[in-house]
């Protein structure tokens, strides 16, 4: 037992002696790699020295792992350095097809190649990306399969009439694009349960009004599998009848799912696959089935029996994500032919479904052929690369070199647009691994252009061990009683053993004597509570964030507990070493938050803080508290500079005031007279603060001057001529007053005369009116008595 203890103490001394070197060494040394395999996985620059005599007295075997330059500087021969490199190998590299439409020899779809290469193997080392080129070329006369999926609810009645001749008409149009074209037809309405349809017997047989004969509602029906017979399409479509349902959204997602997954029954070939989805309504999606008591998620499998979808009452509608996955897996490009009312809805859906397009369908579908042609041209003119799921720790980056030399990176590096038939574009694809996979050394993923059946198979081989490890000696006598495998010039310890020669057991070394060597300054904390004491030396703990590490002889250091500024470690302008910020150039302070750049303190005149303060951390600190502002340019409590020096300028330049007081109080001022205002200095011409002033004297005359302090001496440039206002012209004023009085008098007389005329006319009119209304009695005067008296005989009878 004593021998073992002595060996462990020896290992402790080796590790302790190497501690400072590890702390100050490169990333490779700090990783504490115990074997060549561990070393080459640290970083692409790390190498392992296999020379048995490489280590000096007191060095740990982890010192064998270092960057290439350091190993060579430490006298490790290049021939004894293990530093394997990755590479790319092309396994299948068939040239893209140069096919012409008018060729007599018609190639089968599987004989056409549009992407190159088809298979390659990448040998990856951690941290070392491998790049390869991928070429894509649209082949001329490429076969097309088009399936027309139509909403047959009652609102689409007039549309059905126009689609009945679609087969032959579309065949003629598509012949301009390809000589190998097939077309199919399917229809959908809704799930056959309440509340989507009425389940009363009468409504089940005829969901429309009694005056219109409709067929029974159904979820999805494959009317015609893909065929090259346009007449057959016309014949079967003309036999279709409209149906009906209760709610506005339709069950189109159920139909799309069945069209995608029922490849054999639909008749899809490995060619360009187009699905035209025609409707004038919205759609149901996952969760809506609960209204009808349907809670089972859509299983994404084919359930067509006698060309009818039989499980609509059993499975819920598919989700959008599920639909996207199936359309992508089966290389189907979707064209949504919808009415203008639902354009916004389907455009949002298009953004979620790669390689899809939206076209505006006229109210009666009369423009459907043009819509299909335009949408196909739009879809086929764009190539978008996608890859299957990558193995853990593997990343991929794309760079596109498109038509006319247009280069795309990031997400834009996955696609090229405006590609015509016969155009060739290329992509640079870079694959990098950050670590070896946890299971297996060979992984595979695929890259393919969306909407196309061709794909590139990429096989990944991971470099996880060095070549020298193949010649290792298990249980070697060089490794303390055979407790390790001697490989690559060092001992790779068996489980439970540690030390340079595997001389210590993890179970035996946890003693108080060895633990004392793991306490800093004879303290009580073992490895600063940030590690474990193993074989008399500290092994620091690992954190969940691999970028955060503990290090140091006693694990007393870390790279994440430094001061922060703006919620950034070391203010984002430095890095943390042993809990102290190491700042970048031009930054200082405990959190590297103090900038040494003085450009932000420069005033407009080129002086630092206008000469009134110091620049600290990129901010002006004004020496006089009266001044404020980003460059100490504002003094809210100061009297105006112009007002402050006004009296001295007046007495010095124009002799105003007490001459004796002027000579005593204003001698500090250097005064220069100039001819005119144009001769005054301008702020842009000076390297010191300059103020333009305009002041008024007791005679209401203006005078102009500038004030500045140059070399601590106040100076003023004064315009020698005063600017006095001209005196008033008396004659015009007198004439104006007299004329005003006369005119006012005449105006008053005219007004009085006018008022009198108006009054007289009103009185005369009143008199005339009363005269017209007067009535005089024309009978006898009542006081008149006639002199004649007439007597009448009462007996006289007039005979």
């Amino acid at each position: 037992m004593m021998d073992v203890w002595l060996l462990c103490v020896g290992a402790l001394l080796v590790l302790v002696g190497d501690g400072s070197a590890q702390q100050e060494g490169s990333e490779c040394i700090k990783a504490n790699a115990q074997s060549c395999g561990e070393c080459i996985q640290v970083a692409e620059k790390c190498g392992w020295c296999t020379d048995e005599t490489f280590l000096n007295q007191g060095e740990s075997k982890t010192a064998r792992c270092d960057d290439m330059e350091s190993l060579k500087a430490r006298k490790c021969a290049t021939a004894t350095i293990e530093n394997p490199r990755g590479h790319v190998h092309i396994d299948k590299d068939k040239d893209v097809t140069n096919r012409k439409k008018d060729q007599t020899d018609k190639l089968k779809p599987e004989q056409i190649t549009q992407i190159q290469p088809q298979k390659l193997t990448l040998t990856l080392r951690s941290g070392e990306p491998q790049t390869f080129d991928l070429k894509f070329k649209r082949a001329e006369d490429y076969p097309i399969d088009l399936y027309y999926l139509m909403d047959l609810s009652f609102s689409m009645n007039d549309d059905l009439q126009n689609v009945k001749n679609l087969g032959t008409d579309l065949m003629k149009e598509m012949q301009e694009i390809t000589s190998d074209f097939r077309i199919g037809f399917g229809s959908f309405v809704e799930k056959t349960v309440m509340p989507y349809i009425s389940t009363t017997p009468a409504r089940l047989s005829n969901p429309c009004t009694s005056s219109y004969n409709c067929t029974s509602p159904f979820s999805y029906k494959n009317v015609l599998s893909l065929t090259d017979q346009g007449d057959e399409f016309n014949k079967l479509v003309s036999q279709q009848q409209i149906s009906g349902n209760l709610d506005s959204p339709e069950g189109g997602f159920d139909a799309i799912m069945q069209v995608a997954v029922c490849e054999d029954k639909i008749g899809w070939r490995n060619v360009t696959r187009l699905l035209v989805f025609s409707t004038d309504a919205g759609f149901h999606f996952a969760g809506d089935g609960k209204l009808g008591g349907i809670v089972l998620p859509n299983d994404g499998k084919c359930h067509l029996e006698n060309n009818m979808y039989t499980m609509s009452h059993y499975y819920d509608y598919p989700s959008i994500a599920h639909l996207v996955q199936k359309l992508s897996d089966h290389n189907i490009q979707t064209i949504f032919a919808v009415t203008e009312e639902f354009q916004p809805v389907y455009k949002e859906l298009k953004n979620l479904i790669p390689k899809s397009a939206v076209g505006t369908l006229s109210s009666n579908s009369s423009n459907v052929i043009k819509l299909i042609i335009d949408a196909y041209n739009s879809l086929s003119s764009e190539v978008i690369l996608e890859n299957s799921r990558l193995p853990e720790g593997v990343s991929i980056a794309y760079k596109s070199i498109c038509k006319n030399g247009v280069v795309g990176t990031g997400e834009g590096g996955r696609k090229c647009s405006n590609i015509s038939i016969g155009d060739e574009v290329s992509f640079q694809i870079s694959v990098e691994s950050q670590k070896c996979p946890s299971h297996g050394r060979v992984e595979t993923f695929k890259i393919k252009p969306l909407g196309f059946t061709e794909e590139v198979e990429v096989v990944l081989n991971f470099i996880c061990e060095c070549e020298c490890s193949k010649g290792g000696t298990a249980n070697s006598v060089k490794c303390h009683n055979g407790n390790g495998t001697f490989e690559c010039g060092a001992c790779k310890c068996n489980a439970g053993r540690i030390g340079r020669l595997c001389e210590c057991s993890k179970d035996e070394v946890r003693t108080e004597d060895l633990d004392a060597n793991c306490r800093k300054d004879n303290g009580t904390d073992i490895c600063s509570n940030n590690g474990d004491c193993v074989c008399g030396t500290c092994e620091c703990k690992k954190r969940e964030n691999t970028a955060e590490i503990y290090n140091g002889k006693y694990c007393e250091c870390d790279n994440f507990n430094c001061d922060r500024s703006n919620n950034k470690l070391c203010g984002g302008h430095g890095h943390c070493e042993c809990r102290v910020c190491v700042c970048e150039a031009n930054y200082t302070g405990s959190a590297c938050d103090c900038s040494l750049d003085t450009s932000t303190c420069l005033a407009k005149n080129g002086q630092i803080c206008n000469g009134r303060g110091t620049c600290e951390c990129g901010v002006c600190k004004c020496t006089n508290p009266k001044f404020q502002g980003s460059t100490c340019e504002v003094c809210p409590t100061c009297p105006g500079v112009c007002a402050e020096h006004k009296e001295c300028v007046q007495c010095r330049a124009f002799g105003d005031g007490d001459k004796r007081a002027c000579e005593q109080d204003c001698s500090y001022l250097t005064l220069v007279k100039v001819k005119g205002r144009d001769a005054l200095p301008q702020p842009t011409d000076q390297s010191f603060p300059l103020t333009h002033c305009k002041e008024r004297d007791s005679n209401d005359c203006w005078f102009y001057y500038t004030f500045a302090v140059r070399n601590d001496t106040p100076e003023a440039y004064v315009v020698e001529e005063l600017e006095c206002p001209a005196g008033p012209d008396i004659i015009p004023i007198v004439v104006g007053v007299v004329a005003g009085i006369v005119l006012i008098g005449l105006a008053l007389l005219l007004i009085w005369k006018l008022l009198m005329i108006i009054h007289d006319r009103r009185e005369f009119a009143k008199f005339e009116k009363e005269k017209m209304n007067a009535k005089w009695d024309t009978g006898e005067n009542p006081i008149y008595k006639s002199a004649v008296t007439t007597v009448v005989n009462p007996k006289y009878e007039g005979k």
Side-chain angles (χ1 to χ4, degrees):
M1 183 66 184
M2 189 65 165
D3 293 338
V4 173
W5 188 87
L6 289 174
L7 287 171
C8 292
V9 171
L12 168 65
L13 292 174
V14 169
L15 293 171
V16 169
D18 186 47
S20 61
Q22 287 187 6
Q23 180 174 339
E24 298 176 0
S26 69
E27 174 187 2
C28 306
I29 288 182
K30 291 180 181 178
N32 292 320
Q34 301 294 320
S35 66
C36 185
E38 291 181 17
C39 177
I40 63 174
Q41 294 182 52
V42 174
E44 176 263 340
K45 64 182 180 181
C46 297
W48 178 273
C49 186
T50 62
D51 184 358
E52 292 185 42
T53 63
F54 172 67
L55 296 179
N56 298 320
Q57 184 68 32
E59 283 188 308
S60 167
K61 65 181 176 182
T62 58
R64 292 181 178 274
C65 183
D66 206 343
D67 60 84
M68 295 295 295
E69 291 75 14
S70 298
L71 288 176
K72 293 175 183 178
R74 292 165 59 195
K75 309 303 182 185
C76 182
T78 305
T80 60
I81 298 177
E82 278 284 332
N83 185 32
R85 316 306 298 175
H87 60 273
V88 178
H89 182 267
I90 306 296
D91 301 317
K92 188 177 180 182
D93 193 28
K94 184 180 178 182
D95 291 336
V96 291
T97 304
N98 292 316
R99 186 186 188 197
K100 299 295 182 183
K101 186 176 178 182
D102 53 0
Q103 282 181 341
T104 54
D105 263 350
K106 294 297 181 183
L107 298 177
K108 296 180 180 178
E110 57 271 16
Q111 295 175 313
I112 301 174
T113 302
Q114 297 184 114
I115 194 166
Q116 180 187 4
Q118 294 79 43
K119 183 178 180 180
L120 61 154
T121 300
L122 305 183
T123 301
L124 298 178
R125 178 181 169 180
S126 297
E128 180 189 19
Q130 296 298 324
T131 302
F132 61 92
D133 292 331
L134 188 147
K135 185 191 302 181
F136 180 85
K137 182 178 181 180
R138 278 187 62 195
E140 187 175 347
D141 197 28
Y142 195 74
I144 298 173
D145 283 354
L146 184 145
Y147 192 85
Y148 195 90
L149 183 59
M150 185 174 180
D151 176 6
L152 283 189
S153 57
F154 186 77
S155 59
M156 294 287 285
N157 184 33
D158 54 345
D159 301 78
L160 180 60
Q161 304 305 317
N162 285 312
V163 175
K164 288 181 178 180
N165 295 321
L166 177 65
T168 53
D169 294 344
L170 189 57
M171 282 279 185
K172 293 176 183 177
E173 293 292 334
M174 294 300 287
Q175 282 176 357
E176 298 294 325
I177 299 174
T178 177
S179 60
D180 188 358
F181 176 71
R182 299 199 310 166
I183 190 170
F185 184 82
S187 57
F188 66 91
V189 180
E190 187 55 276
K191 288 185 180 296
T192 54
V193 296
M194 283 288 288
Y196 312 109
I197 67 167
S198 175
T199 55
T200 61
R203 287 294 185 183
L204 279 175
S205 60
N206 182 11
C208 304
T209 60
S210 57
S211 60
Y212 200 94
N213 187 27
C214 293
T215 188
S216 300
F218 55 91
S219 177
Y220 162 66
K221 175 167 58 176
N222 176 33
V223 178
L224 175 66
S225 299
L226 291 164
T227 178
D228 56 3
Q229 302 298 319
D231 295 336
E232 182 70 14
F233 181 95
N234 295 349
K235 175 183 174 183
L236 288 176
V237 173
S238 63
Q239 296 173 3
Q240 301 307 303
Q241 285 183 290
I242 292 295
S243 186
N245 60 312
L246 295 179
D247 61 340
S248 176
E250 314 294 0
F253 276 15
D254 273 342
I256 294 176
M257 178 62 75
Q258 293 303 301
V259 171
V261 299
C262 298
E263 282 191 327
D264 295 336
K265 295 185 178 182
I266 300 299
W268 293 115
R269 298 176 295 171
N270 285 331
V271 297
T272 298
R273 299 176 174 181
L274 299 178
L275 170 61
V276 180
F277 183 84
S278 175
T279 184
D280 64 348
F283 48 80
H284 285 295
F285 52 91
D288 289 354
K290 293 180 181 179
L291 294 172
I294 303 171
V295 296
L296 284 178
N298 194 286
D299 64 351
K301 296 180 180 179
C302 182
H303 297 289
L304 284 185
E305 293 182 13
N306 296 323
N307 288 322
M308 298 290 289
Y309 178 39
T310 58
M311 301 298 285
S312 68
H313 64 287
Y314 191 74
Y315 289 117
D316 193 7
Y317 302 97
S319 67
I320 295 176
H322 196 186
L323 211 58
V324 169
Q325 176 195 349
K326 291 300 180 181
L327 289 171
S328 177
D329 290 346
H330 295 275
N331 304 306
I332 295 174
Q333 305 177 57
T334 311
I335 300 171
F336 295 104
V338 298
T339 54
E340 187 172 0
E341 178 185 358
F342 287 92
Q343 283 282 307
V345 175
Y346 283 91
K347 282 183 178 178
E348 290 297 325
L349 182 61
K350 166 190 172 294
N351 294 333
L352 301 174
I353 302 179
K355 292 294 281 186
S356 62
V358 177
T360 303
L361 191 68
S362 62
S363 59
N364 58 2
S365 295
S366 58
N367 68 329
V368 68
I369 292 180
K370 183 178 184 305
L371 185 153
I372 292 172
I373 299 295
D374 291 345
Y376 169 74
N377 289 332
S378 172
L379 290 172
S380 61
S381 66
E382 183 177 59
V383 58
I384 303 174
L385 295 184
E386 69 165 1
N387 53 268
S388 58
R389 185 173 181 179
L390 296 171
E392 184 181 3
V394 175
S395 61
I396 188 169
Y398 292 86
K399 178 182 177 182
S400 60
I401 299 93
C402 304
K403 193 174 179 180
N404 299 324
V406 177
V407 177
T409 56
E411 282 302 307
R414 290 177 174 266
K415 65 180 181 179
C416 282
S417 303
N418 301 319
I419 303 174
S420 304
I421 293 175
D423 286 345
E424 184 175 290
V425 296
S426 61
F427 298 85
Q428 289 181 359
I429 302 174
S430 182
V431 180
E432 183 177 352
S433 172
Q434 299 300 327
K435 62 179 181 178
C436 282
S438 55
H439 56 279
R441 297 287 171 83
V442 180
E443 297 280 357
T444 302
F445 72 94
K446 294 180 179 180
I447 300 173
K448 70 173 184 177
L450 281 174
F452 295 87
T453 57
E454 297 173 70
E455 59 188 13
V456 179
E457 182 180 1
V458 182
V459 180
L460 303 179
N461 287 328
F462 296 89
I463 301 175
C464 300
E465 289 292 344
C466 300
E467 283 293 322
C468 59
S469 64
K470 296 179 180 178
T473 303
N475 303 319
S476 173
V477 294
K478 297 181 180 181
C479 302
H480 190 258
N481 298 330
N483 286 319
T485 300
F486 189 81
E487 62 178 41
C488 302
C491 287
K492 184 177 181 180
C493 299
N494 296 336
R497 306 295 297 186
I498 57 174
R500 179 173 175 178
L501 300 176
C502 310
E503 64 271 21
C504 292
S505 168
K506 290 184 178 180
D507 299 327
E508 295 173 356
V509 297
R510 294 184 179 275
T511 64
E512 291 185 2
D513 291 333
L514 292 179
D515 285 350
N517 295 310
C518 297
R519 295 188 179 97
K520 184 179 181 180
D521 300 329
N522 294 324
T524 58
D525 295 334
I526 295 178
C527 298
S528 306
N529 289 328
N530 294 324
D532 300 317
C533 187
V534 180
C535 201
T537 188
C538 288
E539 288 188 0
C540 300
K541 296 177 182 178
K542 306 295 183 183
R543 291 177 61 85
E544 291 183 8
N545 184 353
T546 55
E548 297 178 353
I549 59 172
Y550 291 108
N551 59 357
K553 179 180 177 180
Y554 302 102
C555 301
E556 74 277 14
C557 296
D558 62 60
N559 65 348
F560 55 87
N561 272 323
C562 289
D563 289 342
R564 293 176 177 267
S565 177
N566 292 328
N567 203 29
K568 292 182 180 179
L569 191 66
C570 296
H573 302 299
H575 60 279
C576 183
E577 288 187 7
C578 201
R579 303 188 178 185
V580 176
C581 285
V582 178
C583 301
E584 298 173 354
N586 291 328
Y587 285 94
T588 186
S590 62
C592 300
D593 53 351
C594 183
S595 173
L596 300 178
D597 183 9
T598 59
S599 61
T600 56
C601 297
L602 284 177
K604 293 181 180 179
N605 57 22
Q607 287 187 315
I608 298 294
C609 304
N610 271 307
R612 299 169 183 146
T614 58
C615 187
E616 298 179 10
C617 301
V619 178
C620 281
K621 300 293 183 182
C622 302
T623 52
N624 189 330
K626 293 191 300 181
F627 290 95
Q628 300 175 7
S630 59
T631 55
C632 302
E633 74 279 9
V634 180
C635 182
T637 60
C638 294
V641 172
C642 296
E644 181 180 355
H645 302 283
K646 171 185 175 181
E647 292 182 1
C648 282
V649 171
Q650 274 187 279
C651 74
R652 291 284 304 277
F654 306 107
D656 294 349
D658 186 351
K659 292 184 177 181
R660 181 178 297 178
C662 181
E663 290 175 357
Q664 292 177 354
D665 299 337
C666 301
S667 59
Y668 71 91
L669 184 65
T670 300
L671 189 136
V672 179
K673 291 186 178 183
V674 295
K675 291 292 184 181
R677 291 167 61 184
D678 294 339
L680 290 174
Q682 299 299 317
T684 55
D685 301 331
Q686 311 300 324
S687 59
F688 47 86
L690 179 71
T691 304
H692 275 260
C693 300
K694 177 184 178 183
E695 295 294 336
R696 178 181 289 172
D697 62 11
S698 56
N699 297 322
D700 283 339
C701 292
W702 294 99
F703 61 96
Y704 298 87
Y705 70 96
T706 63
F707 179 82
V709 178
R710 177 161 54 178
N711 299 327
D712 297 328
T713 301
E715 64 179 21
Y717 282 75
V718 186
V719 178
E720 59 185 11
E721 293 294 335
L722 293 170
E723 190 178 285
C724 297
D729 194 348
I730 301 300
I731 294 176
I733 295 175
V734 173
V735 172
V737 171
V738 173
I741 294 172
V742 172
L743 290 175
I744 291 173
L746 289 175
L748 292 175
L749 288 173
L750 289 173
I751 292 171
W752 175 80
K753 183 64 176 177
L754 180 62
L755 292 175
M756 292 302 295
I757 291 173
I758 294 172
H759 179 266
D760 290 346
R761 287 185 178 181
R762 284 182 177 175
E763 290 296 325
F764 181 75
K766 183 178 179 182
F767 168 75
E768 289 291 331
K769 184 178 180 180
E770 290 178 353
K771 180 181 177 182
M772 293 295 295
N773 292 334
K775 295 181 180 180
W776 303 100
D777 189 4
T778 57
E780 292 181 355
N781 192 336
I783 63 174
Y784 171 74
K785 296 293 185 179
S786 177
V788 178
T789 301
T790 302
V791 179
V792 179
N793 186 356
K795 294 296 185 175
Y796 176 71
E797 297 179 353
K799 296 181 179 181

